[in-house]
Every structure is written in structure tokens, then in C-alpha cells.
Amino acid sequence: MPGPSFDDARLESADQLLRDDRLRYLAETGARIRKASLSVPVGHLERGERPRGILVLGSESRLVRAVLEPACPVPFMAWPGPTLPAWVGPLDLVIVLGGHEAPAWEVQCAHEAARRGAQLIVAAPEDSQLAAAAQSHDTTLLPCAESDAMASAVAVLALLGDLDLGPRVLPDHVADAADLVAESCSPARDMSENRAKDLAAGLAEGLPLVWGATVLAARASRRIAEALRRASGQLALAADADELEAVLRAVPPRDLFEDPFETQSDPRPVLLLLDEAKVPERLAGAADRLERLAEAAGVRTCRISSGDTNLENSDVESYVTLLQHGRYAAAYLGIGLGK
């Protein structure tokens, strides 16, 4: 049974779009990042002896891992739960990100880390069960609102950079990157000059296959695929290049003589490449292979870039730029489908 059809006329009413809660939430991302970064840490950690190891768990823990792993001077792990590893003790640092709805296992892990005497950094509302469970003399609380897990993660990354445990992250610059995307993807801009609206129209033609070139672009690809699935109610796949190549090789070539208005056929893939101009050397040629396979099968290729390769943007700024463009496209996709 065919799903709802995409109507780009739904993206032309700026007044109506400005009242859309999804777009308003995205437009306020920069403000939420600034607000989280201004939270005054309770029990601020001082530079001192490096921890033996760092464990991070909770919402956006994989984003923290993607940023820290290449630069962290000590062993680092993102932990999926449901119990705390046996090795965690007084020499280690545990980072917990969550809110009022934090799962019970996360609250229990925070309590257990405090009981064992580990240092803790907890990003959560002050009145949350998670913050209460993690209380100790060695706990630093970042009293972040829970409405945006990414904003909390940026605040944590900035604190870790100050402690020389990761790269320097400037929340104001990250917020500026989000604001620039909000401006370029504003509902007031028509489709001819709005990358997200144009991207939504392209993605509406089929099932998105999303690939990110760098570690953080790959992380953004998964988040964008999630947003596209929620917006459209249809499949969207984020995967490594080899896996997407296998999918594209299985796509039958497009019949040039097929009338799309008379023939009912299964939706075809749409390839979405993130930051293809910044492919690491080890993946050289991966984007070209994906594009060639897509062209051979008659599959549309769309792109999102985090900016000029000559610009000195931090990895986190690039990540937010990619993610916000994808989230705006997903929001416009849902609106165009009448959802």
C-alpha cells in the first residue's frame, strides 16, 4: 500500500511553517547549547592527576566517545550497561549523561560508581533521581536541562577539554554553527535557496541510504537516519560503505521507459553522502565507488557538507552542522508528506 505523497507546496507557506514545533525546536538548538554551557558546575573538577580510565554512559555517550577517543590521553570506553564494569574504582572517572527519564540501570550505575569512590561528572537536572544517586565528594554535577541531550554532551566535552582530557571544545562556536544552519534552512527561505527543503524533496523519492566519511560524520549519519525514519514512517539506513555498496549492487537498473504514473513499483534508494570531501585516507575512493554504483543503478545522490575544507572548524562544529542540516531535511520531509 503506497504511503502519503510528498507535496512541496506544503513547504511554501512561511507563516505556517514558522508555527511548526519541529522547526522551532531545531531553530533553538544554538540557544540550548549556550544555556547548557553556562551551567555552573557543582563541585568543579580541578586539573590534577589523570584518571586511570574514563567510562561514559547515558544519552549521547557515543558522541562523547567519537570526539574523545582520538585525543584522550587515557583509556576511554562508552558503556552500554546494564551494570558497571568490575574494574571501575577510585582511580577512574565516570561520566553520566541523562535526565528525569534516565533508565534504572543508569541510575544504579551512577550510584555504584559513587559508592566505589570513582570521580564522577554527571550532566542532569539538579532535581533528577540520577543527580541524587550520583552524589559524593568526588562528583561534579553539570545541572543541564534534559530537553537536548546533544547540548549536555557539548557542555561535558567543553569541561573535559578544560581538564586536558580531550580536545578543546568552544560551546559558543558550536552554537554559532547551529545558528548558521538555522538561518540557511529557515522556513522563510524558499526551496531554491533552502538546502534542507531541496534535500527533503530529493529524499522523498525513495529510501535513504546515509553514509558519513569521518567518525563523527558516521555518527551524524545514524542520527539523521533516525530522524528520517521518524519523519516519514519509512525505512532509512545508515551504514558503512561496504554495506551500502552491497545494497546498491542489488538495486535493479531503472527502466528508462517506465511511466511512474502508470506503474506501481517499490521505492528505490536515495544515496545521501555526508562530508564526502573530507574522506580519511583509509577510505579514499569509497565515496566515488558509492556514486558510481548509484549512477549505474539510476539512484539519485544527495549531499550534505559541513563547510569548506579550508575552514578551521572543530570536529564538534562539523558534526552539529551535518546533523542539523539532516534534521531540518527530515522535518521538511515530514511536513511535505503531511505528517
Side-chain angles (χ1 to χ4, degrees):
M1 185 178 193
S5 59
F6 182 86
D7 183 0
D8 56 18
R10 297 188 178 108
L11 307 183
E12 295 177 357
S13 175
D15 290 340
Q16 185 173 350
L17 291 175
L18 286 169
R19 294 192 296 270
D20 188 277
D21 289 340
R22 291 165 290 189
L23 296 175
R24 185 182 301 110
Y25 180 83
L26 291 172
E28 294 170 350
T29 299
R32 290 193 298 273
I33 292 173
R34 289 187 181 90
K35 183 177 179 180
S37 68
L38 292 174
S39 299
V40 179
V42 179
H44 182 58
L45 284 171
E46 300 291 342
R47 287 187 182 88
E49 291 186 14
R50 288 176 177 172
R52 178 182 58 181
I54 300 177
L55 186 82
V56 60
L57 54 93
S59 54
E60 291 294 357
S61 60
R62 296 182 186 219
L63 169 59
V64 176
R65 180 186 69 181
V67 176
L68 252 67
E69 270 188 335
C72 187
V74 300
F76 181 91
M77 179 182 295
W79 189 249
T83 58
L84 201 66
W87 56 264
V88 171
L91 300 179
D92 304 304
L93 171 63
V94 176
I95 303 167
V96 189
L97 302 99
H100 289 289
E101 303 300 323
W105 72 265
E106 187 177 323
V107 175
Q108 180 58 36
C109 283
H111 175 73
E112 179 64 16
R115 189 190 69 80
R116 295 186 195 178
Q119 285 188 320
L120 279 100
I121 296 176
V122 179
E126 287 185 277
D127 60 347
S128 65
Q129 186 180 6
L130 179 60
Q135 284 184 351
S136 77
H137 293 298
D138 297 308
T139 297
T140 298
L141 174 66
L142 283 176
C144 300
E146 63 178 327
S147 60
D148 192 335
M150 184 178 68
S152 299
V154 172
V156 167
L157 287 168
L159 176 57
L160 292 172
D162 291 342
L163 296 170
D164 295 329
L165 294 174
R168 192 176 184 208
V169 174
L170 300 174
D172 279 345
H173 291 188
V174 180
D176 288 344
D179 288 343
L180 287 173
V181 177
E183 181 180 350
S184 66
C185 299
S186 167
R189 292 178 179 260
D190 62 34
M191 191 172 292
S192 64
E193 56 180 13
N194 189 316
R195 184 71 186 102
K197 290 182 180 181
D198 182 63
L199 184 59
L203 295 174
E205 295 184 3
L207 304 178
L209 305 177
V210 193
W211 180 71
T214 63
V215 172
L216 280 169
R219 179 65 191 155
S221 74
R222 295 179 179 89
R223 288 301 195 198
I224 291 171
E226 291 172 6
L228 293 171
R229 288 193 292 268
R230 287 195 301 268
S232 66
Q234 298 183 13
L235 295 175
L237 173 66
D240 294 336
D242 291 343
E243 295 168 323
L244 295 185
E245 284 183 30
V247 175
L248 289 171
R249 292 182 191 279
V251 176
R254 186 186 293 275
D255 184 354
L256 298 179
F257 301 100
E258 179 182 272
D259 187 335
F261 297 100
E262 293 185 359
T263 306
Q264 182 64 47
S265 57
D266 294 332
R268 296 176 64 80
V270 177
L271 180 63
L272 176 57
L273 301 177
L274 308 185
D275 258 356
E276 62 177 311
K278 301 180 181 180
V279 179
E281 186 176 348
R282 63 184 177 83
L283 294 175
D288 290 339
R289 289 195 302 273
L290 289 171
E291 287 188 80
R292 287 198 301 269
L293 288 170
E295 183 179 4
V299 168
R300 174 191 284 265
T301 299
C302 301
R303 296 169 175 83
I304 301 178
S305 171
S306 64
D308 193 323
T309 54
N310 295 322
L311 296 178
E312 296 296 327
N313 290 336
S314 72
D315 288 341
V316 182
E317 291 168 58
S318 297
Y319 170 83
V320 168
T321 299
L322 293 172
L323 180 61
Q324 290 300 101
H325 269 113
R327 284 177 166 172
Y328 266 101
Y332 285 127
L333 175 61
I335 292 168
L337 293 172
K339 291 183 178 293

